[in-house]
Amino acid sequence: MTIMKSENLHRLTDTDILPVTLADVRRASQRIEGRVVRTPLVHSRSLSDLSGQPVHLKLETRQPIGAFKLRGAMNAILALDDKSRRRGLVTASTGNHGRAVAYAASELGVPATICMSSLVPANKVDAIRALGAEVRIVGVSQDDAQEEVERLVEERGLTAIPPFDNVDVVAGQGTIGLEILEEIPDVDAVLVPLSGGGLAGGIAVAIKELQPKVRLTGISMERGAAMNASIAAGRPVAVREEETLADSLGGGIGLKNKVTFALCRNLLDDIVLLTESEIAAGIRHAWHDEGLSVEGAGAVGIVAILAKKVKLPGPTAVIVSGANIDPKLHQRILEGAEA
C-alpha cells in the first residue's frame, strides 16, 4: 500500500493564508451557471457493499467535453476582459483541459491554441481539433508544451489559460465541492483524482471551509505523481513524465507553483498512489459494475476503494473525473490487458 505519510501534509493554522477562497468558488459557481452541467451524484451499490459505507459517484463524465475541466476553463475565460479574450487563448494540456479551453473558446467565439506533448493520446488530440482549435504537439512532457505556450504569449500576444495553477481555474473546479455538499450534506469523505492539484485543491477549498471534518484523499498513479513527490519534498519538484493509464494525471506542477501546491499541502488529509494493474482493474469495474466508460484518471477513486487503500469513515463521494479513454485501449483493458 502506497500512502502519503500524514506528517508530509501541512496542518492549516489560523495564520495560513490560502490563495483561493470559498468566496472565489461561489463567484465561479454563479459565473459558469448554465454554461456547464451540474453533474449527477449516483449511488454505487457495489462500492457501498464493498466498503460498508454509502458511496456516491460524482459523474463529471457527463460534461459536454466528457471531463470536469470545463468548469475551470470556462470560469477562467469568462473572468477575462473582452480584449484579453479576443487576442486569442493558449494553454498547455494533457488532453482534457485543452479540450475544455477549445470548447469554451468555440462557445464564446474566440480563437484558441492548444499545446500538448507527444504523450497525449490521439483521441484527445483529434477531439480538440474537431472543436476548431489550433493544435501544437511539442516535446515529450507537459513542461515542453508549457514552454511553447510561453513562447506564443511572448511572440503573438495570446492570453494563457493555465491548466491548474490559476485562481480562477481552481475556483471553477471547486464548484464540484459545493454541489457535493448540497446533495450529501452528511458526507464524511471525498476521493479526488490528483495531478496538478486544480481539482483536488478547488474541491478542498469549498469543502474544508464549510465542513472541515470531511476527509479529503488525493489519488494518483505511482508513475510520475508530481504533486505527491512535491509534498514529500516540501516544495515543488520536477518528476519524469511517464506513460500511464491515468494519462490525464501526468505532468509536473511547475517549479514556480503559486496556487495548487499550497492548497493540496494544507488541505488534503491523505494521498494514495496506485499501480497500473490496479487502474486497469478500476476501468473494468467501472464498465462491468457501474455501467461507465471512464479513462484511467477518472477511475482512480473507484480503484482506491477496490484495492482497499482507503478506509471510509462514512458517506463518501468519489469524483469520476473523465470519460475520454481511447476506445481501442478501453477494449484491450476490458479483455484483460494491463495497458
Side-chain angles (χ1 to χ4, degrees):
M1 181 181 297
T2 307
I3 300 177
M4 169 66 70
K5 294 181 180 179
S6 59
E7 59 263 28
N8 292 315
L9 294 163
H10 182 61
R11 294 301 122 215
L12 195 62
T13 70
D14 291 339
T15 60
D16 286 311
I17 300 175
L18 295 178
V20 182
T21 68
L22 179 61
D24 293 324
V25 178
R26 284 179 165 154
R27 278 192 294 270
S29 181
Q30 295 173 349
R31 189 179 285 133
I32 67 178
E33 185 176 5
R35 293 186 179 273
V36 305
V37 172
R38 183 187 174 103
T39 54
L41 264 168
V42 300
H43 179 258
S44 169
R45 177 177 294 179
S46 63
L47 295 176
S48 298
D49 289 345
L50 179 65
S51 66
Q53 299 290 351
V55 174
H56 291 79
L57 306 178
K58 181 65 167 166
L59 299 184
E60 287 299 297
T61 53
R62 303 285 179 85
Q63 294 293 348
I65 65 159
F68 76 95
K69 286 283 191 177
L70 185 58
R71 294 173 184 263
M74 185 66 77
N75 187 52
I77 294 168
L78 290 174
L80 295 171
D81 59 59
D82 189 62
K83 182 179 180 181
S84 297
R85 284 196 293 268
R86 294 292 167 187
R87 285 203 302 262
L89 311 173
V90 64
T91 194
S93 175
T94 54
N96 286 334
H97 175 69
R99 191 169 179 176
V101 170
Y103 178 93
S106 176
E107 289 288 296
L108 298 171
V110 296
T113 300
I114 314 301
C115 303
M116 296 172 284
S117 81
S118 58
L119 292 180
V120 176
N123 67 303
K124 294 184 177 181
V125 176
D126 293 342
I128 290 169
R129 285 199 174 103
L131 288 167
E134 177 185 348
V135 170
R136 290 176 175 250
I137 305 299
V138 183
V140 294
S141 71
Q142 186 163 342
D143 290 340
D144 293 337
Q146 182 59 39
E147 289 181 7
E148 179 70 359
V149 169
E150 292 166 5
R151 187 184 70 80
L152 292 172
V153 169
E154 178 69 23
E155 293 183 4
R156 290 168 46 179
L158 302 183
T159 300
I161 306 295
F164 52 86
D165 197 39
N166 172 273
V167 169
D168 292 317
V169 170
V170 171
Q173 321 303 23
T175 59
I176 296 172
L178 296 181
E179 292 176 15
I180 289 171
L181 291 180
E182 288 170 6
E183 295 192 43
I184 314 178
D186 63 341
V187 67
D188 282 326
V190 180
L191 307 184
V192 190
L194 178 62
S195 179
L199 177 62
I203 290 175
V205 166
I207 289 181
K208 286 292 190 180
E209 178 68 23
L210 293 168
Q211 292 195 29
K213 293 184 179 180
V214 173
R215 190 164 189 82
L216 290 167
T217 301
I219 307 170
S220 196
M221 65 291 168
E222 290 185 350
R223 293 182 178 178
M227 184 61 77
N228 177 72
S230 295
I231 291 175
R235 57 182 173 78
V237 297
V239 299
R240 186 169 70 89
E241 193 168 339
E242 302 182 54
E243 288 192 29
T244 170
L245 290 175
D247 55 90
S248 293
L249 301 184
I253 71 166
L255 297 181
K256 298 180 181 179
N257 188 290
K258 298 177 181 178
V259 179
T260 60
F261 174 74
L263 294 176
C264 291
R265 188 183 184 207
N266 281 283
L267 299 178
L268 293 182
D269 295 293
D270 295 296
I271 297 175
V272 171
L273 303 183
L274 306 170
T275 67
E276 296 300 298
S277 62
E278 287 169 342
I279 297 170
I283 293 171
R284 287 191 286 269
H285 174 92
W287 177 259
H288 292 300
D289 293 83
E290 312 294 344
L292 300 172
S293 176
V294 300
E295 57 190 276
V300 295
I302 293 172
V303 176
I305 296 174
L306 290 178
K308 298 183 179 180
K309 289 190 171 180
V310 289
K311 183 175 177 59
L312 305 184
T316 297
V318 176
I319 313 301
V320 183
S321 58
N324 300 320
I325 188 170
D326 179 86
K328 293 181 180 179
L329 173 61
H330 191 232
Q331 186 59 41
R332 290 201 305 272
I333 292 172
L334 295 183
E335 292 170 354
E338 297 300 310

